[in-house]
Each structure stands twice: as C-alpha cells, then as structure tokens.
Amino acid sequence: MPAQTGDDTLAPGLTLLADDLTTGRWHTRYADLLPRDTLDVGYRLLIADF
C-alpha cells in the first residue's frame, strides 16, 4: 500500500510557506532559484521489506 500524507501532517508546513510567500521571505531566501528554467533536486526511492 502506498504511503499517504494527510492534511494534518501538511498543514503546519503549508502555513509556514504561506507566511513566507506573504512576507516576501521566500523570495529573499530563494531568489537565486527564480531565473532557473530547471532544477534537479534528485529523486529518492525508499523500499522497505517488512
């Protein structure tokens, strides 16, 4: 069964992101990302054998 993340788990991070976007903090912190056309942040696959 695939892992799922519920709204309760995501809510705190989304609240922080919304605040960062509203205040301009995100733009200040990550301004170097804005001119890029692509960004390779990698891909991770986790396999667990239970």
Side-chain angles (χ1 to χ4, degrees):
M1 175 179 220
Q4 296 180 359
T5 303
D7 291 343
D8 291 342
T9 303
L10 297 175
L14 292 175
T15 299
L16 291 172
L17 175 59
D19 185 56
D20 283 356
L21 292 171
T22 300
T23 63
R25 196 173 10 223
W26 190 96
H27 186 276
T28 300
R29 192 175 294 158
Y30 302 109
D32 60 312
L33 298 177
L34 297 173
R36 297 181 186 205
D37 291 330
T38 62
L39 178 64
D40 182 357
V41 294
Y43 180 80
R44 305 294 181 262
L45 176 62
L46 176 62
I47 299 173
D49 186 18
F50 292 97

